[in-house]
Amino acid sequence: VRRIPPYDRVWSLLTILNVSDGERSLANGSAEVLKGSLGVPDEDRIVNMSISFDGNVSPDVATAFDGMVRNASNTLFVVAAGNQNRSTSGDIYPAAFGALQSENVLSVAATGGDGRLTAFSNFGPKTVDIAAPGCQIKSWLDSSATLIPLSGTSQAAPIVTFAASLIHSLIPEA
C-alpha cells in the first residue's frame, strides 16, 4: 500500500486470487471467494481478470461472471479477451461482458511489437474495448523469481489494469 498526497488516500492495494484450477474451469468455490474479496459493494475497485473461459466448458461460468459483474457495479473488471483468434461474442467469459455489454467491464485484446492485433488475440466489436501490448511480456508463473517472456491477452490485461489504476488515483470520480 502506498499513500499519495494528501496522504489519507490509498493509491493501490493488490490482492492476488487464483480462481482457476488449471483445467480451463473455475476452481471449486472460486466465485464465492472472489465475491467475498470484493467486500463492501460501494467501494471503488479495479480488478484484473487475466483468465478466459469458453462458456461451453462449464455451464456455470457465464452465470458466475454475470453475478459478479452485476453485483459489483463500482468495480471495474479488466479482463483478457482470450487467445483463440476468434470473436468473443457470446461464449468467451468474462470477455463477453466487455464493450457494449456491461459498463464496468473492459475486455482487452493483445497487440504485437508493431502495434497491430496479434494473430492469436480474440476480437469483437461488441465485446472488446481496447488492445494493449501482449507479446513477450516478462512474467512470473509461480512463486519463483524467474521471469519468462509470455504472450497473450493475459499479459495485455494487467497493462490496462495498471493504466486504469493510475487514472483512478488522479481522478477518483473517473
Side-chain angles (χ1 to χ4, degrees), residues 137-148:
I137 307 295
K138 291 183 179 180
S139 307
W140 291 279
L141 285 179
D142 53 31
S143 60
S144 75
T146 305
L147 290 171
I148 59 171

Side-chain angles (χ1 to χ4, degrees), residues 80-88 108-112 116-124 128 130-132 152-153 156:
N83 304 317
Q84 296 89 13
N85 187 27
R86 57 175 277 218
S87 174
T88 59
V108 183
T111 60
R116 296 174 187 249
L117 200 64
T118 64
F120 60 79
S121 183
N122 284 353
F123 51 87
V128 174
I130 193 167
T153 59

Side-chain angles (χ1 to χ4, degrees), residues 21-45:
D21 63 8
E23 299 295 326
R24 295 188 39 86
S25 61
L26 294 174
N28 287 337
S30 61
E32 291 76 23
V33 169
L34 185 54
K35 284 180 197 175
S37 72
L38 294 176
V40 181
D42 293 336
E43 290 183 5
D44 293 340
R45 287 188 182 72

Side-chain angles (χ1 to χ4, degrees), residues 44-141:
D44 293 340
R45 287 188 182 72
I46 300 172
V47 174
N48 178 70
M49 298 185 88
S50 288
I51 55 177
S52 177
F53 295 100
D54 180 331
N56 296 320
V57 174
S58 174
D60 65 337
V61 169
T63 303
F65 286 119
D66 184 54
M68 277 185 266
V69 168
R70 290 185 193 281
N71 293 326
S73 60
N74 283 11
T75 298
L76 174 63
F77 293 93
V78 181
V79 303
N83 304 317
Q84 296 89 13
N85 187 27
R86 57 175 277 218
S87 174
T88 59
S89 299
D91 66 345
I92 303 294
Y93 296 97
F97 295 114
L100 304 174
Q101 310 308 309
S102 300
E103 290 181 359
N104 61 333
V105 176
L106 282 177
S107 181
V108 183
T111 60
D114 61 0
R116 296 174 187 249
L117 200 64
T118 64
F120 60 79
S121 183
N122 284 353
F123 51 87
K126 294 183 180 177
T127 54
V128 174
D129 297 281
I130 193 167
C135 291
Q136 301 299 303
I137 307 295
K138 291 183 179 180
S139 307
W140 291 279
L141 285 179

